[in-house]
Amino acid sequence: MKRFSALLFGLAMLTAAFSGLRPAAEPEICAEAGFITIEPVSFHFHFGDPFSRLGLVSSEARMWYSFQPADNPGSAAPLFVFFNGGPGSATSTVLMSMGTGRLTLDPAMNTDPATIANPVSWTRLGHLLYIDARQTGFSYNISSENLEDSSNLFREFNAQNYNPFLDAGDFIRCLLRFLEGHPDLQANPVILVGESFGGIRATTMLHILLHPAGYGDGSEFFQDAALVEEILGHYRTVFPEFSNNDPSPAEITRQFRGQVLIQPTVTLEYQLEETEALLAMPGSPLDQIGRETGIFYDPLLHGDSFNYLYHIVKRDPFIYPQTVGWSSERILRAAHLLRRTPELTRLTGVDVTSIPEFYAGERTNAYRIYGDYTPLEPGSRAAGPAARLCLQPMPLGLTSDGREPGDVEAVFGELQPWDWYLIPSNPCVNLAFTTTNVARQRGYQVDFSLPLFGWMFLRNAIDIPTLITSAALDLTIFPPALPPALARHQDILSTVRVIPSKDGGSSDPDVLELVYRPGSFPGMPEPAARRIWFPRFSESGHMVSLSQPGELFKWVEAWLTDCVLKGAVR
Amino acid sequence: MTDRQGCSHRIFSNTIARLARVFLPLVLMVGLAAPLSGGCAGREDREAEETFARPARGDFRLEAWGGFAALAPRDLNLFHDYTLGRDRFLFDRQLDFLQNNGILAAWSRTSDGDSDPLTWAASLGLRARYQLSGTLSVTLGAICLNGSEAGDLQMEFNRSGVEGTMDRETQAYTPLSLSVRGVAPMLGLLFEMPVYESVFAGLYLAGGPLFAGCRTLSDWKYSWSHRTGEGFDLIYSYEGRLEQEGRGTGAALEIGLRVGSPLTSRLDFFCEGGYALLIVPELSGPGEEILADGPRSWDGPWGIRELELTAPWGDLLLEIPTSDLPDGLDGNGVRDFKLDLSGFKLRMGLSFRF
């Protein structure tokens, strides 16, 4: 008995000793979804005179996010930050729903439930964070004004809430606050994944992240001192060795490691001009469509190529072999899905009925749109004083009685006429960035088609490994136009060339080589060339993750290994 | 581009108002002083009955006057130049640029109201005078200056887009104002002698410290409207305010000629005209700015701050007088500010002998 007791005691001691040596269990990282609140932000634009600056204050924004942890959440697993474009397009109805997460909308659209397991989930590569931009998808604003007055509602859609710099600031704030709330991820590598206008957003985000000081000391024409302080505070946390100095761009890229741009706008004015020139040439896709339809493209008769495709030959400009509406049909299908709380719960991995900010009682002064709130027939024009500028009907996918389909209203409560749970594409946002923008009116360079953003993209590309998709069927962001568009920045680049794949694009990508002029940017080593992965997607249009999710995954995985983790940008 | 100034009749009526403000008190003083000096007897009777005593040593007089002071406070008036120059850069030059680049088909500007730099002030003064001899007297007194130029100015810009759109922007100042105020106690000498029967002339010289200050105020509103077939719909509007004050101490020195005539045995009327050097080399004071992104305030010495505006349509160098100097008077692009109230003065007054 004594011997047995001694044996037991010894075993107990050994167990205690080894338990002290066993590594602590990895903290569990779980799926999350909800809203990150961005308080009203004071910022301004200026031309060098502080007394005549355009000072603005944004409204409170509740930005929708969904987080999916990596399959293997090691300490070095990168965080992919996804966002769509527009501006005004939701991430939740495109990138979140199609081809990147654990579940994906079935492209054939004939399964029930409508989502299926995604064999090429990017969770195999890292953590995924999807964010809906201000007033897109599920994100909504809170106003301090009386929204019964339609002029107050209309006024909300202007530069104080919509410009490329505040937009980038919104995403930076969301990202940094998400990281701050997850200390285990706070220093992980971050990869931005932007689609379409998301290219401009990624460009602006990275320029602010790599060169924050100028956005608070008066150097840049956009000033947001609070954002700069938040960024520098983050750097002091993740780079404690630089606590007394602001880290350099090269040092910052230890965390902000790369960008995946899916059919992006990066230098839009030049891209559009080169697109029109290329599409007008014999042998172009428009030429091919002309042969198929018997109606050949004539700029004098048909205006621009978008008008020819959309209104004349009834083809979807985003994927030109398909008929008009193909892309929006899929987006609305995703919206229909996400308006059903069980499906949204399935897709996000989170019980969305537990998210308080969804409920009507928590959003008493929330708003999403201005104008005539009744459902519109396709082709009709919005009525009402404030809506005269809203040129298109809202693609809300509403029911015949003007309600949101699904069970969101039954679960979360009825909302005000100007508030909606999900807006897949918000034209009021698009107009606020372009037509009804007082900063643009007063001459500040917030027009995202300007070459300024191409300049910023080229500056970022010096330090940030980049992958840009080349989708053969997309005529809105026409890939062959990108190299000559970048070459138009002759003050920066001496040459731009496409180095073709060695194996026809199966495992070796096309590469865009940019050769920078000496002295084009301060501190630029000479000579300097940068290579951007430019893989081809022969069956894809604008939404590459929907059409060829496997190909996209393959190229991102290879690029991550060869360029990002090895630190190779040259 | 067309430019049309309106309301010229306002300039005339403003001048009348200014003259009235200065001369009405003088008229009242004369009307009140004449009875005090010895009754309401008619002038002819008085001439027959009285002899006008010449100034004698030991005489003591009290004098009061009012008048104009011409000013050219160049540094202060930079605020007016800065405001209008800045607007021409932000509006006219931008619209020219847009038209030259084919973004606008045409544009026009109309203005209503006016805004002028500060060029004059009202002055009032009091002094005691003690005769040292029949011609020479010593004076001790003070002059007060008060000048203000407040303009209401409205500008309207109409833009015609190449697609046939029409936008209207307005920039209105209610007001855009500059003002100065100063007090200078002065010690001086006056040499005066009769030149004709009842007319005397003289020369005066006085000097002393000057306590003066200035204020700039710009209260403005911007609006942007878009034509939508049934009129113009307001797209956006915002407003702002910039107010600054400064105070300091300097020096005053004046010299001039004087001519006068007795009204009664004790009361003389005089006119003086001359030049006054009134300079405050350093001012300091607070400022406040209210814009949509929040109020801002500051305090400190005044300087002239150089601002370089850079926009897609070009560059412009402007100077603004301000105490908002982040790096103080030694900062880059900052030079000294002085409040210069010097200029020619003209005044009329009454001198009462005790």
Side-chain angles (χ1 to χ4, degrees), chain B:
Chain B
M1 191 270 286
T2 62
D3 191 335
R4 187 175 69 241
Q5 298 288 336
C7 300
S8 58
H9 66 279
R10 288 182 56 193
I11 299 173
F12 179 69
S13 59
N14 282 348
T15 305
I16 293 293
R18 289 168 184 170
L19 288 170
R21 281 204 304 271
V22 172
F23 285 104
L24 192 57
L26 280 177
V27 170
L28 287 173
M29 276 197 295
V30 172
L32 287 171
L36 287 174
S37 68
C40 300
R43 180 168 174 81
E44 286 181 342
D45 294 337
R46 193 170 295 115
E47 279 179 351
E49 296 173 10
E50 298 178 17
T51 57
F52 294 104
R54 296 223 176 152
R57 186 166 187 264
D59 280 355
F60 180 76
R61 286 180 172 266
L62 196 62
E63 300 185 336
W65 69 85
F68 287 107
L71 301 180
R74 191 174 66 171
D75 288 354
L76 181 66
N77 280 334
L78 281 176
F79 185 79
H80 170 268
D81 299 342
Y82 154 82
T83 304
L84 299 189
R86 175 197 67 190
D87 285 349
R88 288 205 175 269
F89 179 79
L90 294 178
F91 291 95
D92 302 60
R93 281 185 61 178
Q94 183 209 14
L95 297 174
D96 267 341
F97 172 80
L98 294 175
Q99 184 176 14
N100 292 339
N101 283 275
I103 298 166
L104 290 183
W107 68 276
S108 67
R109 168 192 169 127
T110 56
S111 301
D112 196 20
D114 59 7
S115 171
D116 297 312
L118 187 61
T119 56
W120 77 284
S123 71
L124 293 173
L126 270 177
R127 67 177 167 230
R129 183 175 143 193
Y130 180 78
Q131 292 291 141
L132 297 175
S133 70
T135 54
L136 187 65
S137 55
V138 63
T139 63
L140 178 65
I143 60 169
C144 300
L145 279 178
N146 194 332
S148 175
E149 189 64 52
D152 283 358
L153 180 63
Q154 294 85 41
M155 296 173 285
E156 181 179 286
F157 302 88
N158 286 296
R159 306 175 169 215
S160 302
V162 292
E163 310 89 3
T165 56
M166 172 74 82
D167 287 89
R168 174 173 293 163
E169 294 175 287
T170 63
Q171 177 82 349
Y173 292 93
T174 53
L176 175 61
S177 75
L178 302 168
S179 56
V180 293
R181 188 175 293 180
V183 172
M186 300 218 280
L187 181 67
L189 291 170
L190 173 66
F191 177 81
E192 189 177 53
M193 58 185 292
V195 295
Y196 192 58
E197 246 182 40
S198 57
V199 175
F200 52 86
L203 177 74
Y204 68 89
L205 175 71
L210 171 64
F211 306 100
C214 62
R215 178 173 176 261
T216 65
L217 174 62
S218 169
D219 223 326
W220 54 268
K221 183 168 181 177
Y222 164 86
S223 74
W224 168 30
S225 304
H226 181 76
R227 190 178 67 186
T228 51
E230 296 167 18
F232 281 84
D233 285 340
L234 180 67
I235 303 289
Y236 207 77
S237 68
Y238 53 85
E239 52 198 36
R241 181 182 173 92
L242 173 61
E243 185 174 3
Q244 304 181 103
E245 289 182 6
R247 291 184 201 85
T249 303
L253 181 68
E254 62 173 9
I255 186 167
L257 298 173
R258 171 187 171 113
V259 64
S261 175
L263 295 175
T264 70
S265 61
R266 290 183 180 274
L267 187 70
D268 294 349
F269 169 80
F270 66 88
C271 286
E272 290 180 348
Y275 188 85
L277 200 65
L278 303 164
I279 296 178
V280 179
E282 292 175 356
L283 261 79
S284 65
E288 183 185 49
E289 174 194 63
I290 301 174
L291 292 178
D293 60 344
R296 218 167 46 93
S297 60
W298 56 87
D299 202 332
W302 276 58
I304 308 286
R305 183 172 169 184
E306 186 178 87
L307 302 170
E308 183 173 5
L309 279 68
T310 301
W313 50 89
D315 302 334
L316 180 69
L317 271 179
L318 287 172
E319 290 185 309
I320 181 173
T322 181
S323 56
D324 180 22
L325 306 172
D327 299 321
L329 288 171
D330 296 327
N332 273 341
V334 176
R335 62 181 177 88
D336 292 340
F337 171 93
K338 69 174 185 288
L339 183 61
D340 188 345
L341 304 179
S342 307
F344 290 98
K345 318 293 179 204
L346 181 66
R347 52 203 186 207
M348 288 181 279
L350 296 171
S351 178
F352 181 77
R353 180 172 64 85
F354 286 92

Side-chain angles (χ1 to χ4, degrees), chain A residues 312-335:
Chain A
I312 307 300
V313 294
K314 307 291 186 197
R315 294 289 185 94
D316 190 330
F318 297 96
I319 182 164
Y320 73 84
Q322 302 291 345
T323 54
V324 67
W326 187 92
S327 300
S328 57
E329 186 185 347
R330 277 140 187 83
I331 293 172
L332 289 178
R333 168 80 174 172

Side-chain angles (χ1 to χ4, degrees), chain A residues 335-348:
Chain A
H336 181 78
L337 170 83
L338 297 181
R339 287 182 173 123
R340 289 155 52 183
T341 53
E343 287 288 355
L344 183 58
T345 293
R346 223 170 94 81
L347 196 71
T348 59

Side-chain angles (χ1 to χ4, degrees), chain A residues 281-442:
Chain A
M281 292 173 63
S284 76
L286 291 194
D287 202 42
Q288 173 192 335
I289 291 169
R291 290 177 209 288
E292 291 170 7
T293 63
I295 306 171
F296 285 86
Y297 174 55
D298 181 345
L300 293 176
L301 275 178
H302 303 128
D304 61 30
S305 60
F306 190 95
N307 185 68
Y308 165 77
L309 288 162
Y310 197 89
H311 294 290
I312 307 300
V313 294
K314 307 291 186 197
R315 294 289 185 94
D316 190 330
F318 297 96
I319 182 164
Y320 73 84
Q322 302 291 345
T323 54
V324 67
W326 187 92
S327 300
S328 57
E329 186 185 347
R330 277 140 187 83
I331 293 172
L332 289 178
R333 168 80 174 172
H336 181 78
L337 170 83
L338 297 181
R339 287 182 173 123
R340 289 155 52 183
T341 53
E343 287 288 355
L344 183 58
T345 293
R346 223 170 94 81
L347 196 71
T348 59
V350 171
D351 177 10
V352 296
T353 62
S354 67
I355 300 174
E357 292 92 338
F358 261 133
Y359 287 84
E362 293 291 321
R363 51 196 289 171
T364 48
N365 222 37
Y367 68 94
R368 305 300 307 276
I369 55 176
Y370 62 81
D372 191 325
Y373 316 118
T374 56
L376 298 164
E377 293 299 319
S380 68
R381 292 177 67 85
R388 275 195 278 268
L389 287 164
C390 196
L391 303 176
Q392 300 174 31
M394 311 250 182
L396 298 177
L398 304 179
T399 62
S400 58
D401 59 355
R403 310 311 307 166
E404 289 192 75
D407 66 347
V408 280
E409 289 188 1
V411 172
F412 299 120
E414 275 193 36
L415 300 176
Q416 297 286 359
W418 46 81
D419 191 12
W420 300 83
Y421 285 105
L422 177 64
I423 296 184
S425 177
N426 193 337
C428 298
V429 169
N430 196 283
L431 283 171
F433 268 91
T434 55
T435 308
T436 60
N437 190 294
V438 69
R440 188 165 183 252
Q441 180 76 0
R442 289 280 76 249

